[in-house]
């Protein structure tokens, strides 16, 4: 396993993304762990900034070799990397005996580290300011890129409620695609403020509410509110297989409430990123929620993560993201 071996692996990954992502190659996941033969490694590209997350001891021991190789191979592709950031602030590292830390790295191949982690990106024609140091995960949820674009025909002219909005990505897409009214909800004050700045940056109008989505869905139903489209993109409800049943109860609760809030013929765009909840278990939960809500579901699309997060059929856990677009009938 010499440097040439790892260079080949990096080239394979870049060639694949260049092929399948097209113009989105500028902002995508470059390494998706085992799916790119780099166990325990995630690398996201945000323009000329790379963000690494290392979850295994073996990869941690290789990182001083890997960082320069990534910079070199990107240069072969005509791309000069300005900064490399580590986002190793995840508890699972401690299971491997590793410490948590985050920040920019120093390297002879790089200019001095930036003063902040703020980076400008563009996705589907929408501009965002993201924080690769303090934002969730690596700074942005790249895996939903294609799913956010897919909502266009279902939100045009619609009254939309986007729960768990984080920095507003789904809500901004809804407004961008012509929704008549968009309400975005998140429990985090910081996330709401970031979403507001992103809306202003793009000249888009969304109403932001800092609230617990579970409580808000119940309150809106009690107030006899109705929506044409509801988006549910919560954080993972479980990090362990043992808690999968409890997670499914949580998913059922929010989906049942959303179904009750939708007008007849309205659309539910509902997601789960908990890989311990299988695609079949998630689909079965939706059927159960519909039965309890006394509605009929018609499936428009059943989607998964973007093509920059490739799935290994022999490794079911690599297919972790579920995104269903459903029509609700009474």
């Amino acid at each position: 396993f010499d440097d040439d071996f790892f260079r080949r692996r990096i080239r394979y990954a870049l060639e694949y993304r260049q092929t399948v992502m097209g113009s989105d190659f500028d902002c995508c996941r470059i390494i998706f762990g085992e799916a790119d033969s780099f166990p325990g490694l995630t690398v996201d590209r945000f323009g000329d900034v790379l963000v690494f997350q290392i979850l295994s001891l073996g990869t941690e021991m290789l990182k001083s070799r890997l960082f320069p190789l990534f910079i070199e191979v990107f240069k072969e592709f005509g791309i000069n990397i300005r900064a490399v950031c580590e986002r190793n602030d995840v508890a699972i590292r401690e299971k491997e005996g590793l410490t948590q830390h985050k920040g920019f790295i120093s390297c002879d191949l790089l200019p001095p580290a930036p003063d902040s982690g703020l980076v400008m990106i563009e996705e589907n024609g929408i501009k965002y300011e993201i924080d690769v140091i303090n934002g969730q995960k690596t700074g942005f949820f790249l895996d939903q890129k294609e799913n956010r674009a897919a909502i266009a025909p279902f939100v045009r002219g619609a009254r939309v409620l986007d729960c768990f909005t984080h920095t507003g990505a789904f809500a901004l897409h809804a407004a961008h695609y012509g929704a008549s009214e968009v309400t975005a909800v998140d429990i985090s004050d910081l996330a709401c403020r970031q979403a507001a700045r992103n809306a202003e940056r793009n000249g888009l109008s969304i109403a932001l509410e800092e609230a617990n989505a579970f409580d808000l869905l119940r309150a809106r139903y009690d107030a006899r509110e109705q929506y044409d489209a509801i988006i549910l993109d919560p954080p993972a409800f479980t990090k362990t297989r043992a808690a999968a049943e409890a997670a499914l109860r949580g998913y059922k609760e929010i989906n049942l409430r959303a179904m009750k809030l939708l007008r007849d013929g309205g659309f539910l765009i509902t997601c789960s990123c908990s890989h311990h909840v299988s695609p079949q278990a998630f689909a079965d939960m939706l059927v159960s929620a519909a039965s309890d809500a006394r509605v009929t579901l018609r499936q428009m699309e059943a989607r998964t993560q973007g093509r920059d997060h490739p799935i290994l059929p022999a490794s079911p856990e690599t297919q972790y993201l579920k995104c269903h677009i459903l029509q609700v009938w009474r």
Side-chain angles (χ1 to χ4, degrees), residues 139-154:
F140 193 70
F141 294 101
L142 292 166
D143 51 5
Q144 291 277 30
K145 183 193 298 269
E146 294 164 35
N147 297 333
R148 287 190 278 259
I151 72 171
F154 309 105

Side-chain angles (χ1 to χ4, degrees), residues 15 17 32 48 55 124 154 170 172 190 240 262 295:
E15 287 167 357
R17 269 71 182 185
F32 183 47
D48 56 4
L55 303 181
N124 301 325
F154 309 105
F170 267 111
L172 293 175
L190 175 62
T240 66
L262 284 164
V295 300

